[in-house]
Amino acid sequence: MKLILSTSNIMTAGGPSVIRQPSTFKSNVELINSLRANFQAAQQSIPAETTTASGGGGGSSSSSSSSWTKREDDALYIPAVDFSQRGLAEERSQYDITVKLFYLPGIPVSRRCAHTKQAIELVLKELHVDSIDLLIVSFPGITFDAEDDSEEEEDNSGDGGSSYEHEDDFDSLVQTWKCLESLHEQGKILQLGVAEFGSERLARFLEHTRVKPAVNQINLKDCCVVPKSLILYAKEQKIDLLTHNDCNDILPKGTIRELLGPGEKGAGILASAPGQEGDEDLVKGDIETQWVVKYTAVVKDRGVVENKGYFALADVGSCVKP
């Protein structure tokens, strides 16, 4: 079974609204808080008679979860997503739509192509569009360090590249990019981008691409100055340098079970442990989070965010659900 978690549009609160960029929250805090708030809102929207009939009392009652979640084939949407609702208020041409896909550590590289397609399709359905303007991909284990970047050339000259990933890891980046290039050629993604690439890694990577990244997004932890070598190389290659405050570990292991488990802070979907006895109405099994995607739709002429949200997908092994 697949669990598809969604925040809905986090820019709305009691009705349509727009909030100017940038967000003051780091992505992991924003994601977890928004998921929890969306679960609670969905639970509270259940008619009182439905909750009573199903034997539920509080918002975390597992027996009423079927009233605010939706099962489709092997996927359980938490909460249920109404894809019939219009995602954007104006015509598609009025928006810049950026999507950032977080590939998570420990997940086989061979799954990334399927994961990318799953994530993009969910965003397209949510926003009711046929394409996105920019997809930025975040690879696990890659972080940007401005001080290291200025020394990459010297560090790499003597040991074959110790300052960046091993050969197998680099090959995985190239393998993943080929799938992204295919989606770009299909017209679903107009531009591609990477995150946390220093100048040496970027130069090496470009040798293996047909579609060059239009953007390199880097995290400047202490508001430090972007290394001159990276600025010059990006300018030469016509790659935009953008900054962000996303957390590298956006959804730590165990977070899904905490969000969906029983108890006061849980949503009452999952058993507290894979082999937990009792709680017969809860989903049981090992949880493996596969990916997280963030999407943002900005109104071009006003520079405001109209729609922003997250989806996360987790696999449940050996699950039991009535």
Side-chain angles (χ1 to χ4, degrees), residues 53-81:
S54 61
S60 63
S61 172
S62 62
S63 56
S64 62
S65 64
S66 60
S67 301
W68 61 278
T69 62
K70 184 177 181 179
R71 178 77 177 265
E72 288 187 5
D73 299 324
D74 68 336
L76 180 65
Y77 287 83
I78 310 171
V81 180

Side-chain angles (χ1 to χ4, degrees), residues 16 24 41 69 71 79 109 113 119 124 196 204 212 223 254 277 300:
T24 57
T69 62
R71 178 77 177 265
V109 175
C113 191
L124 295 180
E196 317 302 351
R204 186 183 179 205
K212 185 166 60 177
C223 299
E277 295 295 330
K300 293 179 182 178

Side-chain angles (χ1 to χ4, degrees), residues 130-196:
D130 296 324
S131 65
I132 61 172
D133 295 290
L134 172 64
L135 171 66
I136 298 172
V137 288
S138 174
F139 295 99
I142 295 181
T143 57
F144 179 78
D145 190 310
E147 294 181 2
D148 287 349
D149 186 76
S150 63
E151 301 172 357
E152 271 187 345
E153 184 172 354
E154 178 181 349
D155 290 344
N156 289 331
S157 60
D159 60 8
S162 61
S163 72
Y164 45 73
E165 62 279 347
H166 297 303
E167 193 69 32
D168 288 347
D169 296 326
F170 184 82
D171 288 345
S172 76
L173 306 186
V174 175
Q175 178 184 336
T176 303
W177 195 257
K178 292 184 184 302
C179 172
L180 304 183
E181 289 175 327
S182 175
L183 292 173
H184 169 78
E185 291 164 0
Q186 294 171 24
K188 291 187 176 182
I189 304 168
L190 303 187
Q191 291 185 312
L192 299 172
V194 293
E196 317 302 351

